[in-house]
Amino acid sequence: MTTSEPIESLAYRPLPGLYDEMVDASGQPRAHWSFLASAFADLGTRELHRRQAEAARLLDQDGVVYNVYGEGSAAARRRWRLDPVPTVMSSREWESIESGVIERAELLNLILDDIYGKRTLLERRLLPPEIVYAHAGFLRACDGIRLGGRGGGLQLFNYAADIARDGDGRCVVVADRTQAPSGSGYALENRTVIQRVLPSLYRDSQVHRLAPFFRTLRLALKEVAPPFAEDPRIVVLTPGPLNETAFEHAVLASSLGYPLVEGRDLTVRGGRVWMRSVGRLEPVDVILRRVDGIYCDPLELKRDSQLGVPGLVEAARGGAVSIVNTLGSSVLENPALMAFLPRLAEYLLGAPLRLENARTWWCGEDESRRYVLERLPELVIRPISRQAPGASILGSELSEDELESLRRRIESRPRDWVGSEALSLSGAPTLTADGLEPRRSVLRAFAVARSGSYVVMPGGLTRVSPQALAGRISSQVGAIAKDTWVLSSEPEPLTGFWLQPGPAVDAVNPMSSIPSRTAENLWWLGRYAERAEALTRLLRAVQDRRNEFENSASAPGVETLRALLETLTHITSTYPGFTDPALLADPGQELLALIVDGGRAGTLAQAIRALLACAYAVRDQLSGDTWLIVGPLERAISELDGDSIELHTRAQSALQEVMRSLLVLGGLGIESMVRDIGWRFMDAGRRIERGVQLLTLLGSTVTRVRGTATDSLMLESVLTAAESIITYRFRYRSRAQLETVLELLLLDAGNPRSLAYQLDRLTEDLEVFPTEGRLSEEQRLVLAAYTDLRLADPAALVAVDASGQRPELQRFLGGLLAQLTATGDAVDRAHFVHVTPTFSLVGAAGATSEIGRAA
């Protein structure tokens, strides 16, 4: 096969006039692409599409999402899109990029050090003060804060460069990311998936591995710890699960082995930062932040922020904690700075930059402003402060009226604007429905400070436009990701091993090392999982009776169905529900709503969405296999839309899928989670919720007499909903009796569905919770409930009064329910921290931006 044959068989046509990553100007595969081009030609388009579908399945299985912001504060989870065709770079070309990124990071570090230090560059007018002090990233309160430790004095810890090619194929930086550069976690996930999808091609291509970069990051975080921290405690600070890159925050935390915390998990006391773990405060020495700097401290920065930690700036100022990236480092993201980097490089480094940025003109200078205004249709226009995605304005996309409006805006406040050359960008081969087609691409390269210099990830996050001629490439507007392969000229040696010589290290105490917020989310994860499971069982039991008796001539059957429908309303608290006679007569729509209406409290969809929210909030605590279940569970609910006739049919299959997923989720919790404090909270939540659901079910069904036939059907449905019908039939072969049903469901400690079993397990869980040496309130409540249960006499409980009621059973069940509910409230008060703002909120506008955009 000649070098041109692979390209011909792939029917690949590069974009005219653009540099193409795979083929050269003559249409031949570039040398470092020849092996892959031939391999893809051998695979063929159909097989590539199959590999693409497999990649999508694996991403879905791993729960990889990117949150997309809507008009308000809400964010929608968008599945991560990954092209199976990687971006490939030769070892020689990558060496040039790597050295350029290191040099650029060193230059920006010197500038950052000067801006918050001596300010020599400002005094000598090498850097106009207007572009520094007018930029939102400049945080005056952070002046003089220095990173400590053994990191070599570098103040810029993490750096990322967005790199594109110009028309000649030369690599050019189009943006510097210094706030809290995102994407490295996604790059790691891309590599994990592509290794599985193209295993032999990956092995044979001798691609540089990414894992050593993350080990370097871990070591670098230890190096920047304050000098007094011999074994530093490090945390990853996230804005929360609604942040656009929340998935990555959890990946970083779990990959590095550090707790994932939100602002409310931290507190400053005695000049130090502490993590609110379960039962105690634990010191924090290093914070890897993914929250924008301005949101990090409501006392000295953004006063209405609910993402930060009051007093954090003062703690950093005093050297008690190292925050990376340094607060205020986003001042370097000012695009106007690019206009001055060439002369700053000459001044600070004594040489021009090897990796230049796109030519930029700051409109605060007269000559540059005239140049920009004369060439608006040819340039990219940006405000000096990065605000919302899409803030860049492509002059070529504007009408004459829009250009005139933009011209007036620039003339009114010229210092707020910059113009940059519009690069043509290179074309990267991307798999589409029609085969391989070129798509414009941008690479994000990552660097971390280590031992006085920088280490660059051998690869990065490549993104391509979803359309052939799209001018903007952003994850917020649907960019497609690519794995980035840097080819090694020889087999890569393994370095940075996990195994280390020396004495054994002390393990972190598994019973106290998670934030209180994490424990709370695990608690509610257990409760919502159990709530959804109980409701699904009851809905299936109701549907079975409906199939048997709706519009039937059997009076006992109709009465049983109506009683079960009313029970559904009592259990879900979706009043008036089936207490309305009209809905009893035609229950179909209300039953459907109880399954699919996620906006209504008490429904199955609402319980599952709450469960999923808890799962996403503690992603770093859950095993990777958990997402094999979360994905189908989410789809089973989200795909329930359309006309009501179809919905009724699909709702039944959805109930089956939901039950399957919930059972597997429960099994994973039993078999795959370490019995640490987090698991104990999750299990305790399950036990309380299972007890609450059982008591509510019994209280709504068996506390009155309806007649022998109806009560027989009712007891059978109750046992079915309580997952105990087979056990009961096996054990009690004679006719059903309420006394024996109560024995099995309440008193039998060997039945995993009984109340006694739940109280036994709950007692074990609560014994692990931190206490002050005596029985806690929740332990006393459970002990009282268990005592009442053990002393109960089923024969006396089932006694019927003249009105056909069972008052003793009502009282007994109601008392136990009140004790379990009080137990849940006591756990909440004792172990979960509900931080309320100690400052005034300034309005909804601030609140809507609380998702945070550190990207």
Side-chain angles (χ1 to χ4, degrees):
M1 183 178 286
T2 67
T3 56
S4 62
E5 286 178 344
I7 303 304
E8 292 175 359
S9 62
L10 289 170
Y12 181 75
R13 298 290 180 267
L15 293 171
L18 296 183
Y19 181 92
D20 191 86
E21 297 289 338
M22 185 168 69
V23 301
D24 60 22
S26 65
Q28 305 300 311
R30 300 186 187 279
H32 59 280
W33 257 102
S34 57
F35 170 70
L36 274 182
S38 178
F40 287 147
D42 291 340
L43 285 174
T45 302
R46 171 179 281 186
E47 179 61 18
L48 283 175
H49 279 132
R50 192 190 70 79
R51 306 287 179 105
Q52 184 180 48
E54 176 66 6
R57 187 188 68 80
L58 290 172
L59 290 168
D60 195 36
Q61 175 179 296
D62 290 345
V64 187
V65 293
Y66 185 93
N67 291 336
V68 181
Y69 298 117
E71 299 233 337
S73 60
R77 285 190 288 270
R78 175 191 286 162
R79 295 177 187 174
W80 187 251
R81 300 176 65 189
L82 176 62
D83 182 48
V85 180
T87 291
V88 183
M89 290 195 170
S90 68
S91 179
R92 175 174 297 181
E93 182 175 32
W94 183 254
E95 287 176 2
S96 175
I97 293 175
E98 181 181 43
S99 61
V101 169
I102 291 174
E103 181 189 57
R104 195 173 181 90
E106 290 173 344
L107 173 62
L108 291 172
N109 172 72
L110 293 172
I111 296 171
L112 181 66
D113 193 17
D114 185 76
I115 287 175
Y116 289 103
K118 296 180 179 179
R119 286 181 280 279
T120 302
L121 300 177
L122 300 178
E123 291 177 1
R124 298 187 178 182
R125 300 293 298 184
L126 291 167
L127 193 59
E130 298 91 329
I131 70 170
V132 173
Y133 297 136
H135 189 256
F138 176 72
L139 304 181
R140 193 178 301 274
C142 300
D143 185 43
I145 293 178
R146 307 282 303 176
L147 273 183
R150 304 176 299 279
L154 298 177
Q155 299 306 299
L156 180 62
F157 180 81
N158 273 324
Y159 168 66
D162 286 344
I163 302 171
R165 294 187 191 271
D166 62 13
D168 298 325
R170 190 171 56 100
C171 287
V172 176
V173 175
V174 294
D176 296 300
R177 302 302 185 197
T178 59
Q179 168 80 271
S182 67
S184 59
Y186 285 104
L188 182 62
E189 180 64 25
N190 293 344
R191 175 60 54 83
T192 301
V193 170
I194 294 301
Q195 278 180 287
R196 298 173 183 173
V197 172
L198 301 172
S200 59
L201 293 184
Y202 175 79
R203 287 193 304 269
D204 295 343
S205 296
Q206 296 188 14
V207 182
H208 278 284
R209 298 164 62 243
L210 302 185
F213 176 80
F214 291 93
R215 286 198 283 271
T216 298
L217 173 59
R218 201 175 197 282
L219 294 172
L221 287 167
K222 290 185 176 182
E223 284 187 349
V224 298
F228 60 79
E230 295 183 4
D231 185 17
R233 173 61 61 88
I234 303 168
V235 299
V236 179
L237 178 62
T238 175
L242 293 182
N243 181 260
E244 55 191 352
T245 55
F247 166 81
E248 176 177 74
H249 306 166
V251 167
L252 286 174
S254 58
S255 298
L256 298 173
Y258 301 139
L260 182 66
V261 301
E262 296 179 21
R264 60 189 171 124
D265 297 323
L266 304 178
T267 184
V268 176
R269 301 187 186 182
R272 289 205 64 181
V273 179
W274 303 81
M275 182 179 76
R276 292 183 172 102
S277 64
V278 178
R280 68 179 186 182
L281 297 176
E282 298 188 19
V284 173
D285 303 304
V286 180
I287 298 174
L288 175 60
R289 71 173 176 89
R290 285 298 182 264
V291 176
D292 284 0
I294 190 67
Y295 289 96
C296 282
D297 187 345
L299 293 184
E300 297 199 50
L301 300 172
K302 185 175 176 57
R303 64 175 183 168
D304 61 328
S305 172
Q306 298 181 55
L307 303 178
V309 186
L312 186 61
V313 169
E314 180 59 30
R317 190 181 292 128
V321 66
S322 296
I323 303 171
V324 292
N325 270 350
T326 315
L327 294 175
S329 59
S330 63
V331 70
L332 299 176
E333 292 190 348
N334 186 345
L337 184 61
M338 287 188 169
F340 302 94
L341 284 183
R343 76 184 189 194
L344 290 175
E346 294 282 0
Y347 176 76
L348 293 171
L349 303 179
L353 283 171
R354 301 174 198 169
L355 188 59
E356 298 178 358
N357 48 252
R359 287 181 297 166
T360 303
W361 299 268
W362 176 51
C363 295
E365 295 180 328
D366 293 341
E367 184 177 347
S368 295
R369 180 172 65 256
R370 285 193 295 270
Y371 183 91
V372 169
L373 292 175
E374 289 172 1
R375 293 170 174 79
L376 277 183
E378 307 167 15
L379 303 176
V380 178
I381 308 300
R382 291 184 285 179
I384 67 170
S385 288
R386 186 166 65 99
Q387 298 163 348
S392 298
I393 301 170
L394 303 180
S396 59
E397 296 180 352
L398 300 182
S399 66
E400 285 299 326
D401 289 343
E402 290 170 330
L403 286 170
E404 185 57 34
S405 175
L406 178 59
R407 185 174 286 107
R408 289 195 298 269
R409 292 169 65 191
I410 294 173
E411 289 173 338
S412 66
R413 296 184 62 86
R415 294 176 179 176
D416 293 347
W417 296 90
V418 298
S420 302
E421 63 176 322
L423 299 177
S424 55
L425 306 183
S426 61
T430 304
L431 187 62
T432 71
D434 298 322
L436 281 186
E437 295 182 0
R439 291 289 186 267
R440 298 183 179 186
S441 68
V442 173
L443 165 69
R444 180 169 292 185
F446 304 92
V448 61
R450 179 84 203 280
S451 303
S453 186
Y454 287 87
V455 175
V456 178
M457 176 192 288
L461 176 64
T462 297
R463 289 172 292 180
V464 298
S465 59
Q467 291 85 32
L469 299 177
R472 187 174 288 114
I473 301 174
S474 167
S475 297
Q476 278 288 321
V477 295
I480 301 169
K482 280 176 167 287
D483 191 15
T484 306
W485 289 10
V486 176
L487 305 184
S488 176
S489 55
E490 56 187 24
E492 183 182 18
L494 292 176
T495 59
F497 304 112
W498 271 30
L499 291 176
Q500 298 291 329
V505 297
D506 294 331
V508 175
N509 182 1
M511 290 304 171
S512 63
S513 60
I514 64 171
S516 171
R517 174 194 52 82
T518 300
E520 182 179 7
N521 276 298
L522 288 168
W523 160 270
W524 282 108
L525 176 60
R527 293 201 66 167
Y528 280 120
E530 194 61 40
R531 188 175 301 178
E533 185 178 328
L535 183 52
T536 302
R537 293 185 193 281
L538 182 56
L539 282 164
R540 292 196 309 179
V542 169
Q543 191 60 41
D544 288 342
R545 291 305 185 201
R546 187 183 175 206
N547 292 338
E548 287 181 276
F549 298 117
E550 188 173 31
N551 299 322
S552 168
S554 169
V558 171
E559 186 178 5
T560 301
L561 175 58
R562 291 187 174 188
L564 288 172
L565 289 171
E566 291 175 359
T567 297
L568 260 178
T569 296
H570 295 318
I571 285 180
T572 58
S573 296
T574 51
Y575 296 103
F578 293 112
T579 62
D580 181 350
L583 291 181
L584 275 177
D586 185 13
Q589 287 301 115
E590 178 69 5
L591 277 173
L592 184 62
L594 288 176
I595 298 174
V596 305
D597 189 352
R600 184 180 178 188
T603 66
L604 177 61
Q606 188 268 338
I608 289 176
R609 287 178 181 175
L611 180 161
L612 293 170
C614 292
Y616 279 106
V618 292
R619 181 191 284 269
D620 61 310
Q621 298 289 318
L622 303 177
S623 72
D625 289 343
T626 304
W627 304 100
L628 292 170
I629 308 308
V630 169
L633 189 56
E634 191 166 22
R635 285 196 301 276
I637 293 300
S638 64
E639 292 178 359
L640 284 175
D641 52 19
D643 65 77
S644 59
I645 295 177
E646 289 182 352
L647 272 179
H648 280 294
T649 302
R650 284 158 45 204
Q652 298 311 306
S653 62
L655 285 178
Q656 298 294 84
E657 179 62 31
V658 165
M659 180 56 69
R660 186 191 71 82
S661 296
L662 290 172
L663 289 175
V664 177
L665 185 63
L668 278 173
I670 293 172
E671 297 296 335
S672 298
M673 287 187 69
V674 176
R675 270 36 172 189
D676 59 7
I677 191 71
W679 183 88
R680 291 292 181 179
F681 273 100
M682 186 175 72
D683 190 64
R686 273 190 174 274
R687 302 306 147 197
I688 282 188
E689 190 64 35
R690 186 174 292 183
V692 166
Q693 294 293 325
L694 176 62
L695 289 168
T696 307
L697 174 65
L698 292 173
S700 301
T701 54
V702 300
T703 56
R704 56 168 291 194
V705 175
R706 297 180 176 86
T708 301
T710 302
D711 285 344
S712 295
L713 291 170
M714 182 65 74
L715 285 181
E716 188 177 53
S717 295
V718 167
L719 286 166
T720 299
E723 189 60 11
S724 297
I725 185 67
I726 294 176
T727 302
Y728 187 86
R729 286 171 176 165
F730 180 81
R731 187 173 299 179
Y732 303 100
R733 295 176 184 272
S734 61
R735 63 187 177 88
Q737 294 178 325
L738 179 55
E739 293 172 54
T740 52
V741 169
L742 295 179
E743 285 276 0
L744 180 63
L745 295 184
L746 293 179
L747 302 176
D748 188 350
N751 178 13
R753 295 286 163 179
S754 75
L755 183 62
Y757 183 89
Q758 311 318 312
L759 294 179
D760 279 341
R761 290 285 297 271
L762 187 55
T763 299
E764 295 176 9
D765 292 332
L766 295 180
E767 286 175 353
V768 177
F769 290 9
T771 63
E772 296 179 359
R774 60 181 184 274
L775 285 179
S776 63
E777 180 185 2
E778 55 268 28
Q779 286 177 304
R780 290 196 300 272
L781 286 164
V782 172
L783 179 59
Y786 197 76
T787 302
D788 291 343
L789 183 64
R790 293 296 299 273
L791 294 175
D793 179 7
L797 291 176
V798 299
V800 182
D801 64 11
S803 65
Q805 303 293 321
R806 295 187 171 99
E808 285 302 309
L809 184 56
Q810 287 178 342
R811 180 196 58 77
F812 178 69
L813 295 175
L816 289 173
L817 181 59
Q819 287 170 318
L820 274 187
T821 302
T823 301
D825 293 340
V827 170
D828 183 273
R829 287 192 299 272
H831 303 290
F832 306 147
V833 179
H834 304 291
V835 180
T836 55
T838 56
F839 45 86
S840 61
L841 298 178
V842 296
T848 59
S849 60
E850 288 289 80
I851 296 173
R853 292 199 177 278

